């Protein structure tokens, strides 16, 4: 009888496969059934982008992929060459700088969701993104993959991206945790930073991603902090991420970011990827067994150097991730390159484009019966290829020139093109080629002369310039060498502006560039890296089908002298090699919490364009800032402000609320962004916007108590449409 019952029990579903059971119970059940080798098998890579499941128990392999702007095409199992699939072209979504510039959290959700559907189609269970490192200097090679300089904006924009993605069973892997703010020497930089700057500037985005977004994965960064690499860092991973924030997902190493067995075991790393690669191209073949968290760890356990305590913690986290993704029976089917994804890409691109300057309303262009000269390599160059690991194989990419030609084909206007400058003509990244032949042997002088001749007789000149995704520009692995525009573009723009008063400059980049000719050109548009629908979105904005509403997610400095990180010599950027050896480079963030507008405010500097700046084809009035109560004991405040569309076009405005601490025992920024909301208004319409803030919005990180602290006293709320245009003020008090 007893034997009969047992065999019946054995036939019924084991707990770990029983979806009616509690997740933690299923994890414990699966863990109990796993051998040491099986446990070791799930905590490190088995190919460039996958790790093994547990075949015997029915856990499939786990596939990750970049991230963050689209699903990267497949490479071979153990090589970086393209696998040559015919179903891995994707929709390239706008770069995350553009997403941040929409100031529209709902679009982050759409972005994550659409990307997740593409990932599901491609069989990927984890997207290596979003990237949210803070924009510390405009030289940062990977700023284009991140969400700008402000911890609050980043926090608000990262959470819905994660939620949209994970809702359909695809894990995020928020990166690069943390302090990976420049690319040069990224494996060797040891960041020295005050606790305040760490907590107030560099961590809030990650904290929100974990606590509010409930991210299932996070990627340790390449660099060191407190002399430990961030892929196995006792402070950032064990203490802050896991103990303090209660993170229950997996810490994934950046590719090749693990360096030490003991630290990998003890300091919070859960899944090791890419060891012995430089993260991009080099790699020891089939070395997966030699990863720290593979055979060496297994041997160390068998030799008695470690118990299975740390191992079990890692495996529990991996199993939790499996149940959330590969083993999630409720996840939907994926879709690749469907019209909805293109519509999402287009919408975000349009809403993120920033109208920086528009003298005598030269934009939107009035094309009928006109001649338009389009100038510049960036008008024709495919930008989805290049830039490092975020490079994509886009199913299509509409260039700015094509976008204008498509939009204006029936408008009785003439569009001409002049190359203007030659930048990078290579068009190849990691085996994906653009198929474009951009070679042009003419000298800079000849190219400028040709463009100038043509510019003399046209109604509009639209220059598409800026940076590209080549090394030392907006690209992983190196930082930019200067803030100036490359390829003699300053000469080109100045020459064109001198012969045509309707000169419009569209800057394609993820970073600010110097604009010494700013006053000479009529309009300036920030066009980011917009992905598949770049040209369509830019044309919609330039001709006025879409009223621009993007706002800068970073300060557009005039030059490096205005940047905090560049104001303290080499020690603060790029750092000083320790002991004269080229092993560790110490980089001390001497500007502390004064990053971006916090620095320009403190030093009373006027940047070219302020954080939060962005114009529209209509005008708005922001007025009547008020609060439910002007005293608060718990720190919660509810503000209201009226916004009126005072122009004659429908458009969207983003109301920004900053807070000033009038008097404090520690030095605080002049003001800090603490709430915002974007709303659409018809001409003449007024809407009231409600903005809520909490105690954290009044707090600083107190290094004495290691906690957030809001000191009772007076605060000022400032509301307006940019960090340098806050016309509404309201005093309120935090009481004891
Ligand atoms: C990058 C990561 C990326 C990984 C895998 C690394 O070089 O830093 O952002 O996810 O490669 O491609």
């Amino acid at each position: 009888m007893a034997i009969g019952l047992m065999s019946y029990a054995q036939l019924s579903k084991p707990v770990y496969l029983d979806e009616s059971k509690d997740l933690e119970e299923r994890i414990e059940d699966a863990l109990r059934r796993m051998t040491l080798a099986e446990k070791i098998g799930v905590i490190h890579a088995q190919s460039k982008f996958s790790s093994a499941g547990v075949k015997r128990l029915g856990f499939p392999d786990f596939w990750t992929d970049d991230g963050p702007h689209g699903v990267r095409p497949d490479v071979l199992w153990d090589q970086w060459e393209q696998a040559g699939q015919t179903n891995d072209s994707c929709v390239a979504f706008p770069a995350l700088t553009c997403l941040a510039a929409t100031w529209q959290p709902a679009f982050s959700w759409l972005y994550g969701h659409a990307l997740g559907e593409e990932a599901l189609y491609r069989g990927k269970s984890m997207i290596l993104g979003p990237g949210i490192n803070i924009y510390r200097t405009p030289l940062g090679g990977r700023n284009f993959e991140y969400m700008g300089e402000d911890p609050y904006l980043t926090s608000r924009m990262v959470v819905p991206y994660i939620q949209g993605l994970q809702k359909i069973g695809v894990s995020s892997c928020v990166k690069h945790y943390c302090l990976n703010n420049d690319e040069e020497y990224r494996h060797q930089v040891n960041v020295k930073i005050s606790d305040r700057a760490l907590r107030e500037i560099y961590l809030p985005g990650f904290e929100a991603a974990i606590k509010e977004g409930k991210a299932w994965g996070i990627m340790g960064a390449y660099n060191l902090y407190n002399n430990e690499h961030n892929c196995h860092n006792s402070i950032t991973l064990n203490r802050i991420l896991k103990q303090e924030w209660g993170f229950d997902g997996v810490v994934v190493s950046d590719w090749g970011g693990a360096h030490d067995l003991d630290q990998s075991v003890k300091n919070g790393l859960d899944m090791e990827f890419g060891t012995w690669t430089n993260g991009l191209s080099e790699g020891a073949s089939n070395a997966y067994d030699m990863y720290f968290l593979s055979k060496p760890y297994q041997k160390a356990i068998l030799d008695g150097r470690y118990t299975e305590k740390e191992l079990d913690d890692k495996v529990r986290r991996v199993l939790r991730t499996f149940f959330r993704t590969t083993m999630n029976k409720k996840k939907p089917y994926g879709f690749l390159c469907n019209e909805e994804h293109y519509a999402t890409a287009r919408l975000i691109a349009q809403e993120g484009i920033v109208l920086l300057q528009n003298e005598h309303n030269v934009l939107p262009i009035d094309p009928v019966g006109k001649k338009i000269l389009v100038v510049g390599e960036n008008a024709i160059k495919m930008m989805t290829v290049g830039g490092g690991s975020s490079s994509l194989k886009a199913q299509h990419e509409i260039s700015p020139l094509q976008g204008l030609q498509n939009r204006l084909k029936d408008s009785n206007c003439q569009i001409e093109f002049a190359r203007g400058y030659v930048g990078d003509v290579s068009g190849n990244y990691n085996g994906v080629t653009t198929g474009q032949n951009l070679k042009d042997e003419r000298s800079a002088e000849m190219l400028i002369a040709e463009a100038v001749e043509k510019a003399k007789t046209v109604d509009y000149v639209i220059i598409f310039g800026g940076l590209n995704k080549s090394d030392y520009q907006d690209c992983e692995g190196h930082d930019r060498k200067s803030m100036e525009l490359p390829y003699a573009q300053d000469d080109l723009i100045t020459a064109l502006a001198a012969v045509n008063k309707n000169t419009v400059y569209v800057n394609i980049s993820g970073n600010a560039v110097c604009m010494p000719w700013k006053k000479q050109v009529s309009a300036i548009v920030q066009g980011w890296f917009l992905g598949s629908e770049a040209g369509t979105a830019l044309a919609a904005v330039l001709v006025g089908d879409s009223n621009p509403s993007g706002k800068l997610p970073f300060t557009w400095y005039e030059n490096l002298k205005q940047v905090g990180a560049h104001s303290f010599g080499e020690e603060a950027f790029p750092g000083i090699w320790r002991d004269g050896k080229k092993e560790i480079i110490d980089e001390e963030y001497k500007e502390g919490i004064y990053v971006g507008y916090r620095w320009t405010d403190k030093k009373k500097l006027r940047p070219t364009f302020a954080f939060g700046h962005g114009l529209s084809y209509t005008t708005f009035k922001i007025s009547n800032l008020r609060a439910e109560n002007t005293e608060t004991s718990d720190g919660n405040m509810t503000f209201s402000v009226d916004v009126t569309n005072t122009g004659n076009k429908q458009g969207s405005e983003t109301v920004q609320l900053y807070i000033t601490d009038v008097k404090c025992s520690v030095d605080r920024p002049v003001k800090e962004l603490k709430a915002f909301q974007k709303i659409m208004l018809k001409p003449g319409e007024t809407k009231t916007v409600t903005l809520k803030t909490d105690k954290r919005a009044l707090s600083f990180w107190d290094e004495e108590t290691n906690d957030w602290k809001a000191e009772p006293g007076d605060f000022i709320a400032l509301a307006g449409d940019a960090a340098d245009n806050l016309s509404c003020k309201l005093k309120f008090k935090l009481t004891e």
Side-chain angles (χ1 to χ4, degrees):
M1 183 68 184
I3 292 171
L5 269 179
M6 249 181 67
S7 46
Y8 176 75
Q10 278 167 347
L11 279 175
S12 72
K13 227 182 217 177
V15 169
Y16 78 95
L17 289 178
D18 185 345
E19 284 170 57
S20 68
K21 290 282 188 305
D22 175 66
L23 173 66
E24 297 306 309
E25 210 184 313
R26 296 174 72 193
I27 292 169
E28 290 310 314
D29 183 55
L31 185 71
R32 267 195 301 273
R33 294 166 192 265
M34 289 169 74
T35 64
L36 176 63
E38 283 169 339
K39 289 180 183 176
I40 292 287
V42 299
I43 59 166
H44 64 88
Q46 60 168 358
S47 75
K48 289 281 180 246
F49 284 97
S50 76
S51 62
V54 191
K55 291 195 177 62
R56 186 176 63 84
L57 298 179
F59 290 98
D61 287 354
F62 182 74
W63 281 90
T64 69
D65 207 359
D66 287 297
H69 303 144
V71 188
R72 183 176 175 166
D74 288 338
V75 295
L76 291 171
W77 185 260
D78 188 31
Q79 286 164 50
W80 289 104
E81 276 76 55
Q82 292 299 303
Q85 317 278 28
T86 51
N87 65 348
D88 60 354
S89 301
C90 66
V91 173
F93 296 92
L96 294 194
T97 30
C98 172
L99 177 63
T102 67
W103 292 58
Q104 185 54 280
F107 292 167
S108 276
W109 193 93
L110 287 177
Y111 192 122
H113 196 261
L115 179 63
E117 287 189 337
E118 301 243 327
L120 282 179
Y121 182 94
R122 299 269 315 281
K124 313 296 181 191
S125 293
M126 174 181 271
I127 283 291
L128 304 173
I132 55 166
N133 293 89
I134 291 291
Y135 186 119
R136 180 176 175 243
T137 152
L139 300 190
R142 279 185 104 169
N143 283 341
F144 73 101
E145 283 187 69
Y146 305 143
M147 294 184 172
E149 74 184 25
D150 186 73
Y152 181 77
L153 177 63
T154 300
S155 304
R156 299 300 26 103
M157 297 303 288
V158 71
V159 168
Y161 180 118
I162 295 166
Q163 290 169 335
L165 187 66
Q166 294 189 169
K167 178 152 200 294
I168 49 175
V170 179
S171 177
S172 61
C173 187
V174 187
K175 65 192 189 183
H176 304 91
Y177 182 70
C178 55
L179 299 168
N180 188 177
N181 307 101
D182 40 53
E183 284 296 289
E184 212 66 55
Y185 319 119
R186 59 184 176 167
H187 296 270
Q188 292 154 291
V189 168
N190 176 55
V191 174
K192 293 167 131 185
I193 185 172
S194 69
D195 283 354
R196 252 194 96 188
L198 180 69
R199 297 291 189 147
E200 291 184 25
I201 305 295
Y202 296 95
L203 293 193
F206 291 103
E207 187 180 356
I210 303 310
K211 289 187 179 167
E212 290 176 63
K214 307 268 180 240
W216 297 336
I218 194 165
M219 184 185 284
Y222 281 140
N223 54 291
L224 300 93
Y225 162 67
N226 202 35
N227 295 315
E228 283 175 351
H229 280 97
N230 279 330
C231 289
H232 33 66
N233 189 300
S234 54
I235 298 178
T236 57
L237 297 178
N238 281 348
R239 196 199 296 164
I240 299 177
L241 176 73
K242 292 187 173 175
Q243 281 169 30
E244 222 181 276
W245 298 345
F247 175 65
D248 69 358
V250 279
V251 173
V252 175
S253 74
D254 197 348
W255 269 229
H259 298 270
D260 180 88
L261 172 62
D262 198 49
Q263 291 187 18
S264 296
V265 172
K266 292 181 182 156
N267 291 355
L269 177 63
D270 301 311
M271 296 181 99
E272 182 185 356
F273 278 86
T275 301
W276 296 303
T277 74
N278 68 358
L280 286 177
S281 52
E282 295 160 18
S285 187
N286 253 332
Y288 305 102
D289 284 351
M290 304 303 290
Y291 276 34
F292 298 106
L293 294 186
S294 182
K295 291 277 179 324
Y297 187 21
Q298 187 169 349
K299 182 170 182 311
I301 290 176
L302 291 172
D303 291 349
R305 274 182 66 199
Y306 305 106
T307 65
E308 287 190 38
K309 180 171 151 272
E310 292 92 355
L311 176 63
D312 283 351
D313 178 60
K314 297 178 200 300
V315 176
R316 279 191 186 96
R317 289 167 182 278
V318 173
L319 289 172
R320 204 171 284 127
T321 311
F322 286 173
F323 284 121
R324 287 166 166 167
T325 58
T326 52
M327 299 296 280
N328 175 351
K329 297 280 185 305
K330 296 201 183 89
K331 61 177 189 285
Y333 292 107
F335 297 96
L336 194 64
C337 298
N338 51 336
E339 187 38 48
E340 213 181 321
H341 295 176
Y342 281 115
T344 300
R346 206 157 46 233
L347 173 75
I348 293 168
Q350 276 173 204
E351 295 266 332
I353 292 169
V354 187
L355 179 62
L356 293 170
Q357 173 174 303
N358 196 15
E359 293 301 318
H360 51 82
N361 294 329
V362 66
L363 289 177
I365 54 174
D366 170 14
V368 182
K370 304 280 171 40
K371 279 192 188 165
I372 300 167
L373 175 66
V374 172
V375 184
E377 182 170 293
N378 283 355
I380 54 172
K381 185 174 171 64
M382 268 183 74
M383 288 293 186
T384 52
V385 175
S389 54
S390 62
S391 181
L392 296 170
K393 184 166 133 191
Q395 189 197 43
H396 75 239
E397 177 179 344
I398 315 254
S399 72
L401 178 60
Q402 261 175 326
L404 278 168
Q405 285 166 336
N406 294 345
R407 170 60 183 81
L408 298 177
K409 63 179 185 307
D410 301 321
S411 292
N412 178 29
C413 74
Q414 279 179 40
I415 302 180
E416 266 196 86
F417 175 69
R419 180 64 176 268
Y421 71 92
V422 175
D424 176 12
V425 297
S426 59
N428 177 338
Y429 180 80
N430 193 201
V432 176
T433 49
T434 61
Q436 293 186 296
N437 181 359
L438 295 178
K439 283 213 178 92
D440 193 323
E441 306 292 340
R442 287 175 292 171
S443 67
E445 291 72 25
M446 286 163 81
L447 291 163
I448 293 175
E450 180 203 37
V452 165
E453 255 335 282
K454 291 186 173 176
K456 285 177 182 163
T457 57
V458 298
D459 299 286
Y460 293 101
V461 177
I462 308 180
I463 310 165
F464 291 90
L467 307 178
N468 55 37
K469 301 271 195 74
S470 315
D471 270 352
Y472 296 100
Q473 296 208 35
D474 282 330
C475 186
E476 180 177 339
H478 294 289
D479 292 317
R480 295 165 68 197
K481 289 180 174 161
S482 85
M483 216 186 129
E484 272 88 49
L485 277 176
Y487 319 128
Q489 289 180 77
D490 285 342
D491 295 341
L492 171 72
I493 299 164
T494 311
L496 291 172
V499 296
N500 193 309
K501 68 174 178 13
N502 290 337
T503 295
V504 174
Y505 174 69
V506 183
N507 188 66
I508 306 295
S509 76
N511 264 315
V513 300
C514 294
M515 294 183 162
W517 33 259
K518 175 181 176 258
K519 292 210 171 88
Q520 281 127 266
V521 299
S522 292
I524 304 178
V525 174
Q526 175 55 17
W528 311 115
F529 296 109
L530 296 175
S532 288
E533 293 290 286
T536 314
L538 284 163
V541 166
L542 292 170
V543 304
D545 301 341
S546 167
N547 191 351
S549 62
K551 300 272 184 183
L552 285 177
F554 52 76
T555 305
W556 200 286
Y557 307 100
E558 197 173 317
N559 51 43
L560 290 182
K561 288 194 194 116
Q562 293 191 328
V563 186
H566 293 275
S567 304
F568 298 91
E570 275 177 39
E571 266 176 79
F573 184 91
I576 306 261
W577 290 105
R578 195 182 289 178
D579 305 328
K581 293 189 215 132
K582 290 240 159 174
E583 284 165 14
I584 302 288
I585 179 163
D586 287 305
E587 185 171 354
E588 190 173 351
Y589 288 18
K590 292 192 158 191
E591 73 284 9
I593 56 172
Y594 298 100
V595 176
Y597 64 87
R598 289 165 171 81
W599 177 262
T600 49
D601 277 354
K602 186 179 171 67
K603 297 287 168 187
K604 299 193 170 55
L605 300 167
R606 283 192 63 188
T608 304
F609 300 108
F611 172 80
H613 169 78
L615 305 171
S616 164
Y617 295 150
T618 187
T619 48
F620 299 97
K621 186 171 164 229
I622 298 178
S623 61
N624 196 16
L625 175 63
R626 54 209 186 268
E628 268 178 11
N629 298 302
T630 49
E631 276 197 13
T632 169
S633 55
D634 59 6
N636 292 331
M637 291 291 296
T638 304
F639 301 97
S640 301
V641 64
D642 298 334
V643 192
T644 306
N645 182 342
T646 50
N648 51 19
K649 284 200 174 82
Q650 174 167 300
S652 295
E653 178 60 298
T654 301
V655 184
Q656 304 164 34
L657 185 107
Y658 296 76
I659 290 185
T660 302
D661 191 350
V662 176
K663 192 164 161 253
C664 187
S665 60
V666 297
D667 194 38
R668 296 200 67 179
V670 172
K671 60 172 187 282
E672 296 183 277
L673 180 74
K674 294 298 172 184
F676 62 85
Q677 200 180 319
K678 186 169 187 172
I679 48 158
M680 165 100 82
L681 292 165
K682 295 194 194 83
E685 194 182 5
T686 298
K687 280 186 187 162
T688 299
V689 170
T690 305
L691 299 159
K692 287 181 188 286
T693 58
D694 59 11
K695 194 163 191 182
R696 176 79 176 258
L698 311 180
S699 306
F700 61 92
W701 181 261
D702 182 8
E703 294 186 332
E704 306 277 298
T705 59
N706 266 327
D707 206 351
W708 295 98
K709 181 175 185 183
E711 287 182 350
D714 288 342
F715 290 83
I716 296 171
L718 300 155
D721 64 5
D724 66 345
N725 192 26
L726 302 166
S727 52
C728 302
K729 261 192 190 183
L730 183 78
K731 209 175 198 182
F732 65 98
K733 197 187 233 30
L734 175 67
T735 55
E736 295 281 348

